[in-house]
Amino acid sequence: DVQLVESGGGLVQPGGSLKLSCAASGFTFSNCGMAWNRQAPGKERELVATISKDGTAAYADSVKGRFTISRDNPRSILFLQINDLKTDDTAMYYCAAMCPTPGKLLGTDYWGQGTQVTVS
């Protein structure tokens, strides 16, 4: 079975740091683009960072310079380093995999259950 299990969230003071992890299993991690999304209460889900299978990263303007996405393909783990946390970063953070699938033009997406980050 496909699993994406996030960890590393918590309660942090403004200006603090966290490193989120997402452990993947049940699919070929190295073949997939990966992403971190977040959703704050009452707001729409927001894409914050992506990383291609070869390690090319991209970020939402709201997190550039503070968030760093990375991946460890041999261990099938996705990371998100978050520095200089702000109260607006409070949200549930989800990792997602976007995987090519034979016969499916848009491939297959997998999602984790999320890890809560609270900045207060």
Side-chain angles (χ1 to χ4, degrees), residues 30-112:
S30 59
N31 283 352
C32 301
M34 299 296 297
W36 285 97
N37 296 261
R38 67 185 179 185
Q39 188 165 21
K43 294 188 177 181
E44 292 187 355
R45 189 170 290 186
E46 175 189 18
L47 176 65
V48 296
T50 62
I51 187 166
S52 68
K53 62 181 182 178
D54 63 359
T56 301
Y59 302 92
D61 287 344
S62 59
V63 306
K64 275 180 184 176
R66 298 189 300 119
F67 287 25
T68 302
I69 189 171
S70 60
R71 63 190 298 161
D72 183 334
N73 282 345
R75 296 169 60 202
S76 298
I77 303 177
L78 178 71
F79 300 102
L80 186 69
Q81 177 69 44
I82 310 174
N83 297 328
D84 190 22
L85 276 156
K86 306 179 185 303
T87 55
D88 286 350
D89 295 321
T90 295
M92 186 72 80
Y93 284 72
Y94 301 90
C95 74
M98 294 78 69
C99 301
T101 305
K104 293 186 67 175
L105 180 63
L106 297 180
T108 303
D109 293 349
Y110 306 111
W111 288 82

